[in-house]
Amino acid sequence: MVDSKKQWKAWLYLSPALILLLIFTVWPMINTFIMAFSEGYNGMSAVAGEKFKFGFGNFAQVVRAGGPFLKCLKNTMLLCFITVPISTMLALLIAVCLNAIKPLQKLLQTIFFLPYVTNTIAIGMVFAVMFNVVGIHTPHESIGIINSVIVAFGGERVDWINITSSYWANMFVLIVYIVWNALPFKILILLGGLQSVNKQYYEAAKVDGTSRIRTFWRITVPMLSPMLAYVVITGFIGGFKEYSSVVGIFGEQMGPVGSKGRLNTMIGLIYDALETGDYGRASAAALILFVIIFIVTMINMYVSKKKVHY
């Protein structure tokens, strides 16, 4: 406990971080809330002192019938609820395997962690090349690495990311990319949790002749439940903020050229509003996204309280 007479020193040391937090986090959140409920908000007019009517007009514009809101929400929900369970399960299996390997364990950990420190847009461009079909029906046609493998095994090439491709072909590429990109962080967290589990539990199970599958479900998963809850919650939060993966693969048009933003997400919807200078609508969309993330996080935390063993 810090002596009350010396608390001013603690506040002095914390003041730079607190000031930056207030300027770049707290105030933007408050300002976003104000703009969201200011109908017809205009930045220049606000600076000039103009007052705006308080109301829900910006929210009505965001969710209006025939607008892009439902499409963006559907894309975001699909990406989130498909990629998070898949990436979590794969990360758990890989972490268990890595923990069981002694030779080259550190090297393999480094290799698996590389995607986490690599530029997201650059990785997306690599995936676009891998799945792309270039110069269809021309002498210089290129079908990409993925289609080359499919053809080598006797299958037919798939148009993954071009204008003639289907929605689910585009979505499959995105899901593969997001899962692959999400694995390193989750593997790191789960592997750290595995290495902290008391080995006596496994030794007791081995003495009792317990099978590896039963050991996995009865010891490994319960002991890792706090880390699993953490990666699931952060995974859902990150999934609802998905944007850079779509841009990396499909570009700023958020889908194949000419598809009118087929794969746009909620964050993309906010950026679209910002580009047109409609800060009120962008703020309203941001608040809607915040409420969705908050509800899903609360549900995850409620479930975690019943399933997590500390």
Side-chain angles (χ1 to χ4, degrees):
M1 188 71 177
V2 180
D3 189 349
S4 58
K5 294 182 179 179
K6 297 181 179 179
Q7 283 189 5
W8 67 271
K9 290 185 178 180
W11 285 108
L12 180 64
Y13 297 145
L14 286 172
S15 59
L18 291 174
I19 292 171
L20 291 174
L21 190 67
L22 288 171
I23 294 174
F24 295 106
T25 302
V26 177
W27 168 243
M29 291 175 63
I30 296 173
N31 198 37
T32 298
F33 186 86
I34 294 171
M35 290 189 293
F37 290 95
S38 301
E39 297 187 358
Y41 182 88
N42 181 279
M44 296 302 296
S45 301
V47 172
E50 181 180 341
K51 302 298 181 182
F52 301 95
K53 179 183 176 182
F54 179 89
F56 296 90
N58 293 324
F59 295 91
Q61 287 185 19
V62 172
V63 300
R64 71 180 186 276
F69 173 75
L70 290 179
K71 177 178 68 176
C72 295
L73 182 61
K74 182 189 78 170
N75 291 336
T76 304
M77 288 285 192
L78 280 174
L79 291 174
C80 198
F81 285 95
I82 292 175
T83 60
V84 172
I86 294 175
S87 61
T88 302
M89 288 302 300
L90 284 176
L92 177 59
L93 293 174
I94 294 172
V96 170
C97 293
L98 282 176
N99 191 52
I101 296 173
K102 298 306 177 185
L104 303 177
Q105 187 183 69
K106 298 297 182 182
L107 176 62
L108 290 173
Q109 290 179 24
T110 304
I111 292 173
F112 274 103
F113 193 67
L114 280 176
Y116 190 71
V117 295
T118 307
N119 184 273
T120 305
I121 302 298
I123 298 174
M125 293 172 67
V126 171
F127 266 73
V129 173
M130 290 170 59
F131 283 91
N132 200 8
V133 180
V134 181
I136 303 176
H137 306 308
T138 68
H140 304 289
E141 182 183 53
S142 173
I143 62 173
I145 297 174
I146 302 301
N147 275 321
S148 296
V149 174
I150 293 174
V151 171
F153 281 93
E156 295 185 2
R157 69 185 184 190
V158 180
D159 192 1
W160 295 105
I161 61 175
N162 295 304
I163 183 59
T164 55
S165 59
S166 67
Y167 171 81
W168 286 108
N170 300 158
M171 191 61 74
F172 176 81
V173 177
L174 265 180
I175 289 170
V176 171
Y177 169 72
I178 294 171
V179 168
W180 184 82
N181 199 38
L183 283 177
F185 176 74
K186 294 183 178 182
I187 291 172
L188 181 70
I189 297 297
L190 295 176
L191 186 60
L194 276 171
Q195 292 175 346
S196 65
V197 174
N198 194 328
K199 299 299 184 291
Q200 291 181 350
Y201 294 113
Y202 294 107
E203 292 172 0
K206 189 175 181 180
V207 171
D208 292 339
T210 308
S211 65
R212 290 185 178 182
I213 295 178
R214 188 172 178 83
T215 300
F216 175 78
W217 287 111
R218 295 295 183 180
I219 297 178
T220 303
V221 172
M223 296 301 292
L224 281 181
S225 55
M227 280 66 75
L228 285 170
Y230 172 75
V231 297
V232 167
I233 291 173
T234 55
F236 273 107
I237 293 173
F240 277 108
K241 297 189 294 182
E242 201 61 62
Y243 174 75
S244 58
S245 59
V246 187
V247 174
I249 297 175
F250 296 96
E252 293 183 357
Q253 71 272 8
M254 303 296 285
V257 177
S259 64
K260 297 181 179 179
R262 177 192 290 174
L263 299 170
N264 203 3
T265 61
M266 289 296 294
I267 296 295
L269 179 68
I270 295 170
Y271 285 159
D272 290 342
L274 289 174
E275 287 179 359
T276 60
D278 196 344
Y279 299 113
R281 184 161 59 91
S283 300
L287 276 185
I288 292 172
L289 180 60
F290 169 78
V291 171
I292 294 172
I293 294 175
F294 180 79
I295 292 172
V296 173
T297 303
M298 290 299 102
I299 293 173
N300 278 320
M301 292 183 69
Y302 176 76
V303 174
S304 297
K305 286 182 179 179
K306 296 183 177 296
K307 300 294 183 180
V308 173
H309 303 275
Y310 292 100

